[in-house]
Amino acid sequence: MDEEDVKAVLPDAEDLRQEQRRVYVPSIKDFAADSSWKESNSSDSGQCDYAMRLPGERYRPTHFWIRVDAVTDPKLIAGYYREVAPGASMKMYGADLCVINGLLDGNGSWTCRKGPLMFTVGGHTTTTFEGQYDAAPFIWRDKVAPEFIRTVTAKVT
């Protein structure tokens, strides 16, 4: 995912800034050998954060992030996904499966898998979307985040 992809989903975004973040996840090899969590495994740039400004923001900038949770054989991804993304998964947004994290939280994220990739997408905004009276975080979770998921899954072959 790059800045052009973000602008395709949010064309009114201004002052777009990108940062890489460290993530702590077991390697898929370690997971295959032992599925228990070990914080010692990490990746320096497994998460990409984007900060931007959208029209109508009230008090903090819009923030979008995507984290690569695992990349490997699709069978291992399926097992890993079941372990770290429990819940009612659905085939949607071009992914093999997706599950929403924090259903009652409008700033919730989605964890999805497609083929050899498992990833999580999240974000938040204080902007007011068309047709809303106030900032609507559920619009972000239910309308905007799925567009980012579609963008990512379209790139996975």
Side-chain angles (χ1 to χ4, degrees):
M1 186 128 220
D2 59 24
E3 289 185 20
E4 287 182 22
D5 294 325
V6 174
K7 291 287 274 184
V9 173
L10 298 168
D12 294 337
E14 296 178 356
D15 302 326
L16 188 61
R17 297 176 311 281
Q18 177 188 14
E19 294 182 15
Q20 299 294 321
R21 301 266 187 233
R22 173 180 290 266
V23 295
Y24 295 94
V25 294
S27 71
I28 201 72
K29 180 179 177 183
D30 291 340
F31 175 78
D34 177 6
S35 65
S36 63
W37 179 257
K38 293 178 185 68
E39 192 172 347
S40 62
N41 296 329
S42 68
S43 172
D44 289 335
S45 60
Q47 179 169 315
C48 188
D49 290 350
Y50 288 94
M52 66 203 80
R53 302 224 34 84
L54 290 176
E57 285 180 351
R58 298 196 176 209
Y59 54 89
R60 68 179 185 186
T62 297
H63 181 78
F64 158 73
W65 55 267
I66 180 167
R67 181 182 64 230
V68 173
D69 297 310
V71 180
T72 191
D73 180 86
K75 288 181 184 179
L76 284 174
I77 288 291
Y80 187 60
Y81 179 87
R82 281 190 302 273
E83 183 72 24
V84 300
S89 294
M90 299 167 275
K91 185 173 179 70
M92 55 193 347
Y93 311 128
D96 295 335
L97 288 174
C98 283
V99 66
I100 193 163
N101 309 308
L103 183 59
L104 299 178
D105 176 6
N107 295 326
S109 60
W110 291 88
T111 299
C112 302
R113 70 176 175 87
K114 182 174 181 188
L117 177 68
M118 187 175 104
F119 62 97
T120 302
V121 168
H124 59 79
T125 189
T126 61
T127 195
T128 302
F129 290 96
E130 187 175 330
Q132 301 293 315
Y133 296 108
D134 201 354
F138 292 100
I139 299 292
W140 179 272
R141 184 196 69 199
D142 298 340
K143 304 288 186 192
V144 178
E147 292 306 315
F148 286 119
I149 294 168
R150 283 184 186 94
T151 300
V152 172
T153 59
K155 294 179 180 221
V156 177
T157 57

